[in-house]
Amino acid sequence: MMPSTTTISFDDISNDPGVAVPAGYEGFNWTGYDPITESFGGDVHTASGGQSQAPGKHSLKGLGFKMTSASGSKFEVHSAIIAADSGFSDNGAAAMDVTLIGRVSGNEVFRKILNRSTGYDQGPTEVKIDCKDVDEFEFIASAAEAFDVDNVKVTIGE
């Protein structure tokens, strides 16, 4: 399989409450997120009424979620747009980290911690990730505050 680079925007998925990202969507299985959120005028409104500033029509929202290769192929995660939930960024809460973890066959091979200095809590921020040759990738919050992820740029397969 020839490597294929794509940006996953989630914009073609229904935002009806409880709708899951379909298995195999864009070559990945997705777990651990809240239902898809819908953008209105730049803000993303969730089924629970929260908002973030993630761009685009839809994004994933959660305390953490995982993407795994649907085909078993290794992949690279180049970048993603990450935005803290507006309740977090507006209320002056203590710093929340988002930890990015890449794994191969369950073994951690990549770790990057994003903190407030990364800027994601000040609105949507494209974060350079550069995680290579993994079959699983996770986004995890360090606090009980949700965040949104959109426009995940990946290269799948070899």
Side-chain angles (χ1 to χ4, degrees):
M1 174 162 126
M2 292 293 294
S4 172
T5 300
T6 189
T7 299
I8 303 169
S9 68
F10 310 102
D11 288 350
D12 57 346
I13 297 176
S14 170
N15 70 312
D16 293 336
V19 169
V21 177
Y25 177 72
E26 296 287 354
F28 297 95
N29 293 319
W30 303 83
T31 55
Y33 56 88
D34 287 345
I36 292 293
T37 58
E38 181 179 5
S39 177
F40 296 99
D43 290 344
V44 174
H45 298 263
T46 68
S48 63
Q51 298 179 17
S52 83
Q53 302 295 316
K57 185 177 174 188
H58 297 104
S59 64
L60 290 185
K61 177 186 175 103
L63 300 175
F65 45 90
K66 181 183 341 182
M67 53 191 289
T68 56
S69 173
S71 67
S73 297
K74 292 205 173 132
F75 60 91
E76 299 178 9
V77 181
H78 304 286
S79 63
I81 294 178
I82 298 177
D85 183 79
S86 66
F88 173 79
S89 60
D90 293 344
N91 70 11
M96 174 182 76
D97 295 336
V98 175
T99 301
L100 310 174
I101 299 173
R103 294 187 178 92
V104 176
S105 300
N107 298 309
E108 185 176 316
V109 297
F110 174 88
R111 178 178 286 256
K112 183 172 190 170
I113 299 173
L114 309 176
N115 55 37
R116 290 176 82 91
S117 66
T118 309
Y120 70 85
D121 67 322
Q122 303 302 312
T125 301
E126 184 171 11
V127 176
K128 188 174 181 177
I129 298 172
D130 289 332
C131 175
K132 300 181 186 309
D133 299 321
V134 295
D135 56 21
E136 178 181 301
F137 190 82
E138 247 181 309
F139 299 82
I140 305 168
S142 66
E145 300 287 347
F147 61 96
D148 290 87
V149 172
D150 202 357
N151 295 352
V152 181
K153 186 174 181 181
V154 297
T155 299
I156 305 170
E158 275 201 63

